[in-house]
Amino acid sequence: MALTKDSTAILQKLRALMSNLAIVPTQLDAYIIPSTDAHSSEYIADCDNRRAFVTGFDGSAGTAVVMKDKALLWTDGRYYIQATKQIDKNWTLMKQGLPDTPTLIAWLSKNLPNSGFVGVDPLLYTQDEWESLSKELRIGGKTLTAVSQNLVDLVWPNRPSCPENSVVELDIKFSGKSTRDKITDIRKQLSEAGCEVFLITELDEIAWLLNLRGSDIDYNPVFFAYVILSSTALEIFINPKKIDASIRINLEKEDEVTFSPYESILERLQHHVKNSSGRIFTSKRCNHALVDVIPEERRTSKLSLIALMKAIKNPVEVAGMQSAHVRDGAALCEFFAWLEQGIHTCAKITEMSAAEKLYQLRA
């Protein structure tokens, strides 16, 4: 657990940016720093851990709010003690879930000046979250404002770079279904939904569709990418360093594939909007920055077409899960035998040494 961090200089810089009209569209009364990334990931890479950088609190859940004269951190009961130790005197800890702790929206509605402006990075809020927050603030006479340049990134020296780890192919003997067949099924559903284009933003869904795996986020086999799937083409937006020639060739066998830089997704989506007239399907978890490009009358926002397909396992996937459980069960049996023997011999076993032994047996 990290020690208390002095956030004074960081807050001074953030507050200066909140009033800098060369950076923000209007002077901000508050700036929200959530704990997520542009893909609504439950776990995030170091480069997206903005809330931890600003506050010093590195627990997995929390939302920070910076105002001109205040700084507040909301987190839940798992982290009250940790947050108290890690944040400095500049911050007020809001113990989320306690009866006397207002929600973030309630606090902002009550404490911001009338006609106040609340800034957020639109990449870090889903469309549903954006609409809910905007509505609640509007009731109190406040305005939610999209800030296209993330203010934390501008004050974060030596910010970790976005991972460039190579992706690997998941052989069909493990996936049980080719990318070509998955695309065919999705296109059928897309047509039935009355849409021409499917914007895919969730990393696990992209990995599943392309039968690829990555390591951009610790303990998660995913990689940073976007996908646009139409009736005629598959567009993949990814750092080219991640994809080697053999993977490109294999994907090109599956469909009409084009590769573009990860950062060009917004520009390409704008192109689709401008040069076609059909509806565009997005998941409810798609970020506001991308959804906002699509005219409301052309949006279809529902549970992702991939979510249910991915949830229903094919026979190969079922067999793989069963095999994994058998192997893990064997490792646990070995661990319990080791633990029992250690107890009988009065060996010194700590929580740490037991965890290390279990990790070793499962490797």
XYZ file of all heavy atoms in Angstrom, residues 4-69:
494
model
N 1.062 8.152 2.027
C 0.320 9.370 1.727
C 1.061 10.201 0.683
O 2.270 10.411 0.773
C 0.127 10.202 3.008
O -0.582 9.410 3.964
C -0.664 11.465 2.709
N 0.319 10.700 -0.286
C 0.899 11.475 -1.372
C 0.547 12.948 -1.215
O -0.601 13.288 -0.918
C 0.366 10.956 -2.712
C 0.827 11.750 -3.915
C 0.315 11.114 -5.188
C 0.805 11.856 -6.414
N 0.413 11.166 -7.667
N 1.512 13.824 -1.413
C 1.262 15.265 -1.390
C 0.670 15.665 -2.739
O 1.340 15.630 -3.772
C 2.566 16.022 -1.131
C 2.338 17.522 -0.962
O 1.198 17.985 -1.215
O 3.289 18.230 -0.603
N -0.590 16.044 -2.733
C -1.293 16.356 -3.979
C -1.407 17.850 -4.252
O -2.076 18.267 -5.200
C -2.700 15.751 -3.933
O -3.461 16.338 -2.876
N -0.754 18.664 -3.444
C -0.926 20.122 -3.548
C -0.594 20.649 -4.943
O -1.396 21.372 -5.562
C -0.042 20.839 -2.509
O -0.388 20.365 -1.204
C -0.248 22.349 -2.577
N 0.565 20.293 -5.469
C 0.985 20.818 -6.776
C 0.069 20.317 -7.897
O -0.267 21.072 -8.822
C 2.433 20.417 -7.057
N -0.330 19.065 -7.802
C -1.209 18.495 -8.834
C -2.540 19.238 -8.853
O -3.057 19.601 -9.923
C -1.437 16.989 -8.570
C -0.128 16.223 -8.717
C -2.497 16.425 -9.514
C -0.220 14.780 -8.265
N -3.105 19.488 -7.677
C -4.393 20.183 -7.605
C -4.275 21.621 -8.110
O -5.184 22.129 -8.787
C -4.918 20.162 -6.168
C -5.377 18.780 -5.666
C -5.732 18.840 -4.181
C -6.571 18.281 -6.474
N -3.179 22.266 -7.806
C -2.975 23.637 -8.310
C -2.982 23.666 -9.832
O -3.600 24.534 -10.459
C -1.653 24.197 -7.774
C -1.680 24.544 -6.296
C -0.314 24.972 -5.771
O 0.727 24.737 -6.413
N -0.289 25.584 -4.595
N -2.306 22.702 -10.446
C -2.247 22.638 -11.906
C -3.605 22.303 -12.509
O -4.007 22.881 -13.528
C -1.202 21.614 -12.337
C 0.231 22.001 -12.009
C 1.207 20.883 -12.354
C 2.635 21.247 -11.969
N 3.582 20.133 -12.265
N -4.314 21.378 -11.883
C -5.644 21.022 -12.387
C -6.588 22.215 -12.320
O -7.345 22.483 -13.259
C -6.222 19.859 -11.578
C -5.752 18.454 -11.943
C -6.333 17.427 -10.969
C -6.142 18.102 -13.373
N -6.545 22.931 -11.225
C -7.441 24.082 -11.060
C -7.115 25.188 -12.063
O -8.017 25.876 -12.550
C -7.373 24.592 -9.622
C -8.084 23.655 -8.655
C -7.784 23.930 -7.207
N -8.592 23.068 -6.341
C -8.214 22.606 -5.156
N -7.008 22.940 -4.675
N -9.010 21.840 -4.450
N -5.847 25.323 -12.378
C -5.476 26.315 -13.396
C -6.053 25.913 -14.753
O -6.565 26.759 -15.496
C -3.964 26.447 -13.467
N -5.986 24.633 -15.073
C -6.531 24.155 -16.351
C -8.044 24.282 -16.395
O -8.632 24.516 -17.463
C -6.131 22.697 -16.576
C -4.657 22.424 -16.855
C -4.404 20.928 -16.957
C -4.212 23.119 -18.139
N -8.699 24.143 -15.259
C -10.160 24.237 -15.207
C -10.657 25.626 -15.581
O -11.833 25.805 -15.937
C -10.661 23.865 -13.809
C -10.548 22.372 -13.494
S -10.765 21.979 -11.730
C -12.437 22.581 -11.434
N -9.773 26.601 -15.545
C -10.140 27.981 -15.914
C -9.484 28.424 -17.217
O -9.657 29.563 -17.640
C -9.734 28.948 -14.794
O -10.394 28.640 -13.579
N -8.740 27.535 -17.845
C -7.989 27.867 -19.056
C -8.861 27.589 -20.283
O -9.033 26.438 -20.699
C -6.705 27.044 -19.111
C -5.814 27.435 -20.267
O -6.248 28.080 -21.223
N -4.549 27.038 -20.197
N -9.379 28.648 -20.893
C -10.321 28.480 -22.010
C -9.639 28.007 -23.292
O -10.316 27.718 -24.279
C -11.069 29.788 -22.260
C -11.976 30.243 -21.106
C -12.712 31.527 -21.463
C -12.968 29.149 -20.743
N -8.333 27.899 -23.282
C -7.639 27.281 -24.405
C -7.703 25.759 -24.302
O -7.443 25.057 -25.280
C -6.188 27.745 -24.449
N -8.076 25.271 -23.122
C -8.124 23.834 -22.859
C -9.555 23.345 -22.671
O -9.946 22.295 -23.189
C -7.295 23.466 -21.613
C -5.835 23.918 -21.796
C -7.373 21.981 -21.319
C -5.106 23.197 -22.906
N -10.340 24.093 -21.907
C -11.712 23.685 -21.585
C -12.702 24.592 -22.326
O -12.401 25.752 -22.607
C -11.962 23.743 -20.068
C -11.091 22.725 -19.352
C -11.706 25.148 -19.512
N -13.889 24.084 -22.660
C -14.857 24.892 -23.418
C -15.477 26.022 -22.616
O -15.959 27.010 -23.177
C -15.923 23.865 -23.829
C -15.800 22.756 -22.839
C -14.361 22.695 -22.460
N -15.481 25.893 -21.292
C -15.980 26.937 -20.406
C -15.331 26.739 -19.050
O -14.830 25.643 -18.743
C -17.520 26.862 -20.268
O -17.999 27.966 -19.502
C -17.950 25.563 -19.579
N -15.283 27.771 -18.248
C -14.685 27.617 -16.926
C -15.459 26.592 -16.114
O -16.690 26.641 -16.041
C -14.652 28.962 -16.198
C -13.669 29.945 -16.802
C -13.340 31.104 -15.867
O -13.576 31.028 -14.670
N -12.773 32.164 -16.409
N -14.727 25.693 -15.503
C -15.354 24.584 -14.781
C -15.404 24.871 -13.294
O -14.439 25.369 -12.708
C -14.586 23.288 -15.017
C -14.416 22.839 -16.472
C -13.565 21.576 -16.528
C -15.773 22.599 -17.132
N -16.524 24.492 -12.692
C -16.660 24.599 -11.239
C -16.258 23.295 -10.557
O -15.961 23.281 -9.359
C -18.104 24.946 -10.881
C -18.508 26.303 -11.438
O -18.057 27.327 -10.897
O -19.249 26.327 -12.438
N -16.269 22.215 -11.333
C -15.851 20.914 -10.800
C -15.363 20.053 -11.949
O -15.817 20.201 -13.091
C -17.002 20.228 -10.076
N -14.434 19.163 -11.622
C -13.922 18.214 -12.622
C -13.923 16.829 -11.989
O -13.365 16.631 -10.908
C -12.507 18.602 -13.060
C -11.961 17.752 -14.187
C -12.514 17.817 -15.467
C -10.888 16.886 -13.978
C -12.013 17.042 -16.508
C -10.375 16.117 -15.011
C -10.950 16.196 -16.277
O -10.455 15.422 -17.311
N -14.578 15.881 -12.672
C -14.727 14.527 -12.139
C -13.660 13.614 -12.722
O -13.429 13.605 -13.940
C -16.126 13.960 -12.450
C -17.222 14.867 -11.870
C -16.262 12.546 -11.904
C -18.638 14.414 -12.211
N -13.048 12.828 -11.865
C -12.008 11.870 -12.278
C -12.459 10.476 -11.855
O -12.332 10.103 -10.685
C -10.654 12.217 -11.638
C -10.289 13.677 -11.915
C -9.557 11.278 -12.148
C -9.182 14.222 -11.041
N -13.004 9.691 -12.776
C -13.475 8.346 -12.433
C -12.337 7.328 -12.451
O -11.177 7.671 -12.683
C -14.499 8.059 -13.538
C -13.960 8.811 -14.720
C -13.271 10.030 -14.174
N -12.696 6.057 -12.226
C -11.689 4.989 -12.151
C -11.864 3.995 -13.287
O -11.897 2.791 -13.074
C -11.806 4.250 -10.808
O -11.621 5.118 -9.734
N -11.960 4.497 -14.509
C -12.204 3.600 -15.631
C -11.410 4.049 -16.842
O -10.632 5.001 -16.772
C -13.711 3.537 -15.948
O -13.962 2.523 -16.907
C -14.213 4.874 -16.476
N -11.625 3.338 -17.961
C -10.955 3.704 -19.206
C -11.997 3.901 -20.308
O -13.204 3.864 -20.045
C -9.909 2.652 -19.606
C -10.513 1.280 -19.883
O -11.743 1.167 -20.049
O -9.751 0.295 -19.941
N -11.552 4.088 -21.531
C -12.463 4.389 -22.635
C -13.291 3.185 -23.061
O -14.187 3.313 -23.901
C -11.658 4.908 -23.828
N -13.015 2.010 -22.475
C -13.713 0.782 -22.858
C -14.595 0.239 -21.740
O -15.073 -0.888 -21.818
C -12.689 -0.271 -23.274
C -11.784 0.190 -24.384
N -12.096 0.048 -25.712
C -10.584 0.822 -24.346
C -11.125 0.563 -26.453
N -10.195 1.041 -25.650
N -14.791 1.042 -20.689
C -15.599 0.636 -19.531
C -15.058 -0.640 -18.888
O -15.821 -1.491 -18.425
C -17.072 0.430 -19.933
O -17.616 1.621 -20.429
N -13.751 -0.763 -18.859
C -13.128 -1.958 -18.295
C -13.232 -1.958 -16.773
O -13.087 -0.920 -16.126
C -11.659 -2.025 -18.708
O -11.515 -1.994 -20.112
N -13.458 -3.140 -16.209
C -13.506 -3.261 -14.753
C -12.117 -3.067 -14.159
O -11.951 -2.464 -13.094
C -14.058 -4.629 -14.352
C -14.162 -4.818 -12.841
C -14.760 -6.154 -12.450
O -15.068 -6.963 -13.357
O -14.904 -6.401 -11.235
N -11.120 -3.582 -14.833
C -9.726 -3.402 -14.439
C -9.056 -2.533 -15.496
O -9.420 -2.590 -16.674
C -9.017 -4.752 -14.324
C -9.681 -5.683 -13.345
C -10.596 -6.635 -13.774
C -9.409 -5.591 -11.979
C -11.228 -7.493 -12.871
C -10.027 -6.443 -11.070
C -10.939 -7.386 -11.521
O -11.553 -8.220 -10.631
N -8.076 -1.740 -15.084
C -7.487 -0.786 -16.016
C -5.967 -0.897 -16.044
O -5.342 -1.390 -15.097
C -7.900 0.665 -15.675
C -7.497 1.028 -14.240
C -9.394 0.872 -15.890
C -7.784 2.480 -13.869
N -5.386 -0.407 -17.136
C -3.933 -0.350 -17.270
C -3.392 0.837 -16.472
O -4.129 1.774 -16.143
C -3.557 -0.223 -18.741
N -2.100 0.820 -16.195
C -1.484 1.894 -15.403
C -1.691 3.267 -16.038
O -1.853 4.266 -15.329
C 0.006 1.625 -15.229
C 0.294 0.455 -14.311
O -0.623 0.041 -13.568
O 1.429 -0.067 -14.339
N -1.699 3.322 -17.364
C -1.842 4.618 -18.040
C -3.206 5.251 -17.811
O -3.387 6.459 -18.015
C -1.582 4.462 -19.541
S -2.698 3.299 -20.364
N -4.190 4.450 -17.397
C -5.539 4.966 -17.156
C -5.840 5.178 -15.681
O -6.959 5.580 -15.328
C -6.578 3.993 -17.740
C -6.572 3.991 -19.259
O -6.616 5.077 -19.850
O -6.511 2.894 -19.848
N -4.861 4.964 -14.831
C -5.106 5.062 -13.392
C -4.962 6.508 -12.920
O -4.146 6.841 -12.048
C -4.151 4.147 -12.634
C -4.773 3.598 -11.366
O -5.783 4.117 -10.892
N -4.166 2.571 -10.814
N -5.792 7.357 -13.489
C -5.693 8.804 -13.250
C -6.106 9.177 -11.831
O -5.489 10.037 -11.206
C -6.549 9.545 -14.277
C -6.108 9.306 -15.711
C -7.040 9.979 -16.709
N -6.575 9.805 -18.072
C -6.919 8.781 -18.860
N -7.747 7.853 -18.407
N -6.451 8.693 -20.096
N -7.158 8.557 -11.344
C -7.621 8.884 -10.005
C -6.549 8.578 -8.961
O -6.332 9.348 -8.027
C -8.914 8.124 -9.710
C -9.554 8.456 -8.367
C -9.255 7.380 -7.354
N -9.706 6.095 -7.847
C -9.132 4.948 -7.534
N -8.063 4.917 -6.744
N -9.583 3.805 -8.010
N -5.825 7.465 -9.138
C -4.754 7.121 -8.200
C -3.628 8.147 -8.270
O -3.061 8.537 -7.242
C -4.221 5.726 -8.500
N -3.299 8.599 -9.480
C -2.225 9.589 -9.620
C -2.582 10.888 -8.910
O -1.754 11.484 -8.207
C -1.943 9.881 -11.095
C -1.111 11.113 -11.308
C 0.244 11.112 -10.998
C -1.686 12.292 -11.766
C 1.015 12.254 -11.153
C -0.923 13.441 -11.933
C 0.425 13.426 -11.620
N -3.816 11.339 -9.067
C -4.215 12.630 -8.501
C -4.368 12.561 -6.992
O -3.924 13.459 -6.268
C -5.538 13.104 -9.151
C -6.083 14.341 -8.425
C -5.313 13.423 -10.623
N -4.985 11.494 -6.482
C -5.323 11.437 -5.063
C -4.274 10.737 -4.206
O -4.183 10.986 -3.000
C -6.650 10.690 -4.854
O -6.493 9.317 -5.239
C -7.766 11.319 -5.677
N -3.518 9.809 -4.800
C -2.623 8.959 -4.023
C -3.301 7.684 -3.574
O -2.638 6.730 -3.153
N -4.626 7.619 -3.659
C -5.380 6.425 -3.268
C -5.398 5.452 -4.438
O -5.893 5.775 -5.519
C -6.802 6.817 -2.880
C -7.765 5.658 -2.792
C -7.541 4.631 -1.888
C -8.882 5.606 -3.611
C -8.420 3.556 -1.813
C -9.766 4.543 -3.534
C -9.541 3.515 -2.639
N -4.856 4.232 -4.227
C -4.732 3.294 -5.330
C -5.628 2.063 -5.193
O -5.376 1.027 -5.797
C -3.269 2.856 -5.506
C -2.686 2.199 -4.260
O -3.447 1.949 -3.299
O -1.470 1.936 -4.256
N -6.699 2.183 -4.427
C -7.694 1.121 -4.395
C -8.385 1.009 -5.742
O -8.303 1.906 -6.589
N -9.106 -0.090 -5.946
C -9.673 -0.366 -7.272
C -10.919 0.441 -7.590
O -11.321 0.515 -8.760
C -10.002 -1.860 -7.397
O -11.025 -2.228 -6.489
N -11.552 1.032 -6.594
C -12.810 1.743 -6.835
C -12.799 3.100 -6.156
O -12.369 3.229 -5.006
C -13.993 0.912 -6.341
N -13.273 4.094 -6.859
C -13.359 5.427 -6.280
C -13.537 6.476 -7.355
O -13.172 6.258 -8.514
N -14.107 7.612 -6.974
C -14.286 8.728 -7.897
C -13.844 10.003 -7.201
O -14.266 10.273 -6.069
C -15.765 8.861 -8.324
O -16.199 7.643 -8.927
C -15.925 10.002 -9.321
N -12.996 10.757 -7.866
C -12.495 12.011 -7.303
C -13.180 13.196 -7.979
O -13.497 13.140 -9.166
C -10.981 12.111 -7.485
N -13.378 14.238 -7.208
C -13.940 15.484 -7.732
C -13.059 16.635 -7.253
O -12.795 16.772 -6.055
C -15.388 15.713 -7.259
C -15.898 17.066 -7.754
C -16.303 14.603 -7.761
N -12.607 17.431 -8.206
C -11.782 18.597 -7.889
C -12.587 19.856 -8.158
O -13.155 20.023 -9.243
C -10.497 18.610 -8.741
C -9.675 19.863 -8.448
C -9.665 17.365 -8.464
N -12.651 20.730 -7.144
C -13.303 22.023 -7.289
C -12.272 23.118 -7.048
O -11.103 22.837 -6.776
C -14.470 22.131 -6.312
C -15.556 21.069 -6.533
S -16.858 21.153 -5.295
C -17.524 22.802 -5.599
N -12.698 24.351 -7.149
C -11.763 25.466 -7.004
C -11.168 25.535 -5.603
O -10.029 25.964 -5.423
C -12.480 26.774 -7.342
C -12.909 26.868 -8.806
C -13.706 28.126 -9.085
C -14.149 28.169 -10.548
N -14.992 29.357 -10.841
N -11.947 25.116 -4.609
C -11.453 25.214 -3.232
C -11.625 23.928 -2.435
O -11.397 23.909 -1.230
C -12.166 26.352 -2.495
C -13.681 26.178 -2.483
O -14.173 25.247 -3.174
O -14.372 26.945 -1.791
